[in-house]
Amino acid sequence: MAEESEELPKPTRQGPQEGTLWAVKDLNFEIKKGEVLGLVGSNGAGKSTLVRLLSRLTDPSEGEAWVEGKVASVLEVGSGFHPDLSVRENALLNGVFLGMRKNEVEDRMGEILEFSNLKDHHSLAVKKLSQGMQYRLAVSVALHSHADFLLLDEVLEVADRDFELKCFERVQNEQERGKSFLFVSHNISQIKLFCSRLLWLNEGSIQMEGTPEKVLEAYLN
């Protein structure tokens, strides 16, 4: 007579547990090809979580986030930078992280340094740059990448007006080529300048969606 087998352990429950606090929930939207979608909301509304989901840095516990094509993101100052490497070396490293070949980054290096206004500082260690200069370098590399979808999370908050307008012109050119953008900012003037449509997040859900004028009027009131 065969011995009785031991009872198998019950599988652990997957997904959210009871009492889970949702960072984002029930989001359903689409970003069209060549569109700049803006994201507004108070601190803790779920904006950065959504960006991380779309950047594929975080997996959703429920649902799906579909992104077609290559994705590039600039999430925080110094992200992916090595403080002891030079501006040029970090631009090369960052470009490779964003999916470009080494020779492709090298071919565009002059444009990247010129755009970020760091051509004269190319041999300087990144740790010696100001926060604004580091942001300029990160944004410049991302804007010169081959990404089809670019996510910018509050990266122009410390940008001066000249660089802001330079980025706007570049974004317009990339839009015409079919590149899409998700732009997160607390700067109302930048949102009006860059975005063609807005999502207002509140407690992880979409409070309102529409034109920048209508959404901002409701959000600010």
Side-chain angles (χ1 to χ4, degrees):
M1 184 175 179
E3 295 182 1
E4 294 185 4
S5 60
E6 295 183 4
E7 184 179 352
L8 295 176
K10 295 181 179 180
T12 56
R13 181 182 175 187
Q14 301 298 317
Q17 304 297 313
E18 185 177 351
T20 296
L21 177 64
W22 292 89
V24 292
K25 187 172 177 62
D26 297 331
L27 300 184
N28 186 10
F29 66 95
E30 180 182 2
I31 302 176
K32 299 176 182 178
K33 186 175 182 179
E35 181 181 28
V36 181
L37 177 66
L39 201 58
V40 297
S42 60
N43 292 331
K47 302 187 301 298
S48 293
T49 299
L50 177 56
V51 170
R52 292 183 66 84
L53 288 169
L54 294 177
S55 300
R56 298 167 179 159
L57 296 175
T58 300
D59 292 328
S61 51
E62 281 191 2
E64 295 174 322
W66 287 93
V67 181
E68 294 185 6
K70 294 182 179 179
V71 180
S73 56
V74 184
L75 305 182
E76 58 186 34
V77 63
S79 178
F81 286 163
H82 191 294
D84 295 318
L85 294 180
S86 69
V87 168
R88 187 183 187 89
E89 290 167 335
N90 271 292
L92 179 59
L93 190 63
N94 221 231
V96 172
F97 284 161
L98 294 179
M100 299 174 69
R101 297 174 184 268
K102 180 182 177 181
N103 63 318
E104 290 174 336
V105 186
E106 290 174 337
D107 289 342
R108 297 190 176 196
M109 186 63 71
E111 296 177 47
I112 292 171
L113 296 176
E114 185 71 35
F115 188 89
S116 60
N117 198 26
L118 293 172
K119 196 172 183 178
D120 294 336
H121 305 286
H122 67 92
S123 60
L124 194 67
V126 158
K127 65 183 178 182
K128 296 183 179 179
L129 298 181
S130 67
Q131 185 184 57
M133 295 167 81
Q134 290 186 42
Y135 268 132
R136 289 209 310 265
L137 180 60
V139 172
S140 181
V141 174
L143 287 176
H144 287 82
S145 71
H146 297 317
D148 303 296
F149 181 37
L150 184 59
L151 302 103
L152 303 174
D153 188 2
E154 299 184 33
V155 295
L156 295 181
E157 301 297 298
V158 295
D160 56 49
R161 185 62 175 173
D162 289 341
F163 187 68
E164 180 182 272
L165 293 176
K166 188 185 291 187
C167 288
F168 175 65
E169 293 176 2
R170 180 77 187 191
V171 167
Q172 282 189 313
N173 292 335
E174 294 299 316
Q175 277 185 273
E176 294 174 359
R177 298 172 185 170
K179 183 176 290 189
S180 304
F181 295 82
L182 181 66
F183 186 80
V184 184
S185 179
H186 289 287
N187 188 313
I188 302 303
S189 64
Q190 287 181 355
I191 291 171
K192 291 179 178 178
L193 179 65
F194 281 87
C195 304
S196 52
R197 185 164 61 96
L198 280 189
L199 284 182
W200 169 14
L201 286 191
N202 182 35
E203 296 182 353
S205 300
I206 298 176
Q207 179 81 16
M208 187 175 179
E209 177 181 357
T211 63
E213 293 78 14
K214 290 183 179 180
V215 175
L216 284 175
E217 181 181 4
Y219 173 62
L220 295 175
N221 287 333

